[in-house]
Amino acid sequence: MILQKYLFTLLIIFACSVAGKQFRFDYDYSEYADGWFKLHLIPATWHDAWLRCDLEGSILASPINYQMKVAMDSYWEAKKTNDCAYYTGINALFSHGDYFSVEGVPLPRMPVKWAPGEPDNFNNNEDCIVLTNGTIADVNCSEIFPYMCFKKNTKDIIMTSCGTVDKEYKMESLTGNCYKFHPVGKSWKRAFMTCAAEGSYLSVVNSPQEALLLKKIYDANYPKIRPGTNKDVIIIGMHDWNEHGVWRTIHGSTIEEEGYADWAQGQPDNSSGQYCGAMFRTGKLDDYWCQSTAPFICEKSPDSLLEP
């Protein structure tokens, strides 16, 4: 029994980086699960947890087999958190009572047991599953819990010159940074979240030359913008903190200090409360409604996801 426990411990040792196995510095590699884990301690609803993992290029982890169950339990214990439960990817959102992982594995195939008194389907409204002390329980998906993301190691995971496995980021020699155009429109806050999850930030314009670069990226991707999305502007990394006329980048400096404050004619006009920043196809700046959606460009330095 002691030998078995010792071998078990060896199998579940985690390392922040493994030679030849790189994903991003904030994920820990598990040899046993052959993939990377990240525990998000800031609680979220199930949907927001799923979305954050998805934006980071991973999935909401589920104990779909023995190896994953052991690895998840070990990682949770290693973090020594005071929380007693965390979200898994197991849910019945598509069909009440039919639980599947986000990969499509049915719950009866998983090596898990219900906690005492579970499932209780309280108020007939518990479609998501948490892991608690090695067992599972059903909860309301709008409740907030910590959660664990997982990225399986596959042959197509290749670290690019942009310091990411996301092949859509392209290096630009003008700035030495990498850029990615998102053709699906999102609100300013959701765009900010998307870039942050990818290890980047909403693009900041530092010079007239960079404005022309963003215009070039905008033009090249214009045909890819999804139907129903506002094609007139792209969202960029500036705002006025709901204080008219005090336009700053997401890095805290004024746009004048940053090096580019070329507004389109008649802008900023603050039409019905436009507090977020955008850019027209001309390369000129625009103030935009924060809740309205538009395409956007993320910008990242090549080392933003590498070990500090």
Side-chain angles (χ1 to χ4, degrees):
M1 186 66 181
I2 295 175
L3 177 60
Q4 184 180 16
K5 186 173 182 179
Y6 176 71
L7 291 174
F8 171 85
T9 302
L10 289 177
L11 285 170
I12 58 180
I13 290 175
F14 282 77
C16 291
S17 61
V18 177
K21 295 183 173 69
Q22 294 181 334
F23 177 47
R24 41 188 292 169
F25 81 91
D26 50 351
Y27 276 68
D28 298 313
Y29 182 74
S30 163
E31 194 78 48
Y32 196 49
D34 192 23
W36 296 264
F37 287 98
K38 179 180 178 179
L39 180 61
H40 287 266
L41 291 175
I42 298 176
T45 64
W46 188 92
H47 181 271
D48 284 349
W50 168 86
L51 178 61
R52 171 64 68 166
C53 293
D54 184 67
L55 292 175
E56 289 183 354
S58 57
I59 61 172
L60 195 53
S62 299
I64 59 173
N65 53 42
Y66 178 74
Q67 287 79 8
M68 277 294 292
K69 178 66 166 55
V70 169
M72 289 173 68
D73 286 345
S74 173
Y75 192 54
W76 175 257
E77 291 171 8
K79 291 300 181 179
K80 300 185 184 302
T81 173
N82 292 324
D83 297 290
C84 61
Y86 63 95
Y87 269 129
T88 69
I90 308 168
N91 70 93
L93 290 169
F94 299 144
S95 176
H96 191 55
D98 295 318
Y99 287 99
F100 290 83
S101 73
V102 291
E103 305 101 309
V105 178
L107 181 58
R109 291 283 187 181
M110 302 182 203
V112 292
K113 293 182 179 180
W114 290 101
E118 301 290 343
D120 60 354
N121 189 30
F122 184 69
N123 285 336
N124 195 32
N125 193 26
E126 294 191 327
D127 289 326
C128 290
I129 298 291
V130 295
L131 263 171
T132 173
N133 296 320
T135 58
I136 60 172
D138 57 342
V139 296
N140 188 303
C141 300
S142 63
E143 293 185 59
I144 59 171
F145 289 94
Y147 56 99
M148 192 181 295
C149 301
F150 177 71
K151 176 70 173 181
K152 182 67 176 175
N153 185 23
T154 58
K155 292 180 180 180
D156 62 344
I157 294 181
I158 300 173
M159 188 68 68
T160 71
S161 59
C162 288
T164 175
V165 299
D166 188 339
K167 300 178 180 64
E168 293 187 48
Y169 276 93
K170 304 298 180 185
M171 174 74 73
E172 295 291 345
S173 58
L174 175 69
T175 62
N177 281 344
C178 301
Y179 300 80
K180 176 181 176 179
F181 187 89
H182 285 265
V184 179
K186 295 187 179 182
S187 66
W188 193 93
K189 284 188 175 181
R190 197 60 104 183
F192 182 99
M193 172 187 175
T194 299
C195 295
E198 292 179 352
S200 59
Y201 53 87
L202 270 176
S203 188
V204 172
V205 190
N206 300 105
S207 67
Q209 292 75 26
E210 188 170 12
L212 290 175
L213 172 62
L214 295 187
K215 179 184 182 304
K216 176 184 174 183
I217 297 172
Y218 188 2
D219 288 341
N221 288 277
Y222 189 80
K224 300 177 185 177
I225 298 176
R226 301 296 173 83
T229 299
N230 185 356
K231 295 186 176 184
D232 296 331
V233 297
I234 55 170
I235 290 172
I236 59 173
M238 68 178 199
H239 53 81
D240 72 356
W241 289 94
N242 292 357
E243 294 292 339
H244 304 310
V246 188
W247 285 92
R248 295 182 179 274
T249 72
I250 54 175
H251 297 154
S253 56
T254 67
I255 58 175
E256 289 80 10
E257 292 170 338
E258 203 68 43
Y260 189 74
D262 193 0
W263 294 92
Q265 186 174 0
Q267 302 297 331
D269 60 357
N270 186 35
S271 175
S272 303
Q274 295 176 319
Y275 300 116
C276 288
M279 174 184 284
F280 288 112
R281 245 184 120 182
T282 59
K284 305 290 186 180
L285 301 179
D286 176 42
D287 55 344
Y288 195 63
W289 298 279
C290 296
Q291 71 276 14
S292 296
T293 61
F296 56 101
I297 295 176
C298 295
E299 178 179 353
K300 76 180 294 294
S301 62
D303 62 352
S304 66
L305 289 177
L306 304 182
E307 192 71 34

